[in-house]
């Protein structure tokens, strides 16, 4: 492994660590304000952030493994992390679906969506920076897993856009049902991410929009 390659794997390591710690912070803040302001979309967004921490832990383990020995196969921890992540996304989708339907029938309205507006803007900017950095590192290392992780981070941007739209519409119009509609948007992405996590755990495909199939994503780097 050349010095340049080692440098880029070090970058990949730091990107994985930053992703984990940012999602922990984002999850804590989002769940707090989502619960206190009774904003379902923001609360669900916060729960999603903690699920992304599980996914990030698997990516961190992968980076550490490949840095030490590029020819090793995916570890049991990585596969377990993916399966837990997939199950958590499905549970989140069910929970959001039940809560959204209940809120629609009870015509529930959040106290305010201003925190969701601010958090979504910060998230979009942060995640876009991470996507750009991961793609740069992934291309430099010719690493399909890192490029796939960048595409997964793009999904976080899409979810942030859902939160931004629902928060902004409520702030401008006071249309309370938009919060439940935003939750349905999160359900769509949660189901997709859950399915992709199980597919990657089974070694079916690179996942998260990565074109082409491989026996094991971590074998290509």
């Amino acid at each position: 492994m050349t010095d340049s390659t080692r440098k880029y794997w070090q970058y990949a390591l730091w990107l994985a660590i930053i992703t984990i710690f940012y999602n922990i912070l984002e999850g804590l803040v989002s769940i707090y304000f989502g619960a206190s302001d009774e904003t379902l979309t923001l609360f669900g967004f916060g729960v999603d952030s903690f699920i992304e921490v599980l996914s990030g832990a698997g990516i961190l383990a992968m980076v550490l493994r490949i840095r030490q020995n590029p020819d090793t196969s995916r570890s049991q921890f990585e596969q377990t992390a993916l399966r837990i992540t997939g199950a958590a996304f499905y549970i989140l989708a069910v929970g959001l679906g039940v809560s959204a339907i209940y809120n629609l029938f009870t015509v529930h309205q959040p106290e305010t969506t201003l925190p969701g507006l601010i958090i979504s803007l910060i998230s979009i900017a942060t995640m876009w920076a991470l996507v750009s950095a991961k793609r740069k590192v992934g291309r430099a290392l010719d690493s399909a897993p890192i490029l796939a992780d960048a595409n997964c981070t793009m999904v976080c941007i899409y979810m942030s856009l859902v939160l931004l739209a629902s928060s902004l519409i409520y702030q401008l119009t006071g249309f309370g049902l938009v919060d439940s509609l935003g939750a349905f948007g999160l359900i769509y992405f949660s189901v997709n991410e859950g399915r992709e996590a199980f597919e990657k755990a089974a070694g079916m495909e690179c996942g998260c929009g990565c074109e082409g199939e491989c026996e094991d994503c971590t074998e290509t780097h």
Side-chain angles (χ1 to χ4, degrees), residues 120-197:
S120 62
L121 289 172
I122 295 173
S123 179
I124 290 169
T126 303
M127 291 300 167
W128 181 251
L130 286 172
V131 167
S132 299
K134 289 177 181 179
R135 284 178 174 170
K136 179 179 179 181
V137 171
R139 292 189 185 107
L141 293 171
D142 192 23
S143 172
I146 293 178
L147 290 173
D149 182 46
N151 289 335
C152 288
T153 304
M154 274 299 301
V155 177
C156 296
I157 295 179
Y158 300 149
M159 297 180 85
S160 299
L161 288 171
V162 170
L163 175 62
L164 174 63
S166 63
S167 300
L168 183 61
I169 291 173
Y170 182 77
Q171 285 296 117
L172 294 177
T173 67
F175 179 57
L177 296 184
V178 74
D179 183 46
S180 296
L181 296 178
F184 284 118
L186 296 186
I187 290 171
Y188 171 79
F189 290 113
S190 294
V191 170
N192 285 341
E193 288 205 89
R195 183 184 67 253
E196 288 170 350

Side-chain angles (χ1 to χ4, degrees), residues 8 20 30 34 39 55 66 74 89 98 137 151 165 167 171 193 196 209:
Y8 277 109
I20 289 172
S30 298
T39 309
S55 177
I66 294 178
R74 179 181 292 163
F89 274 124
V98 172
V137 171
N151 289 335
S167 300
Q171 285 296 117
E193 288 205 89
E196 288 170 350

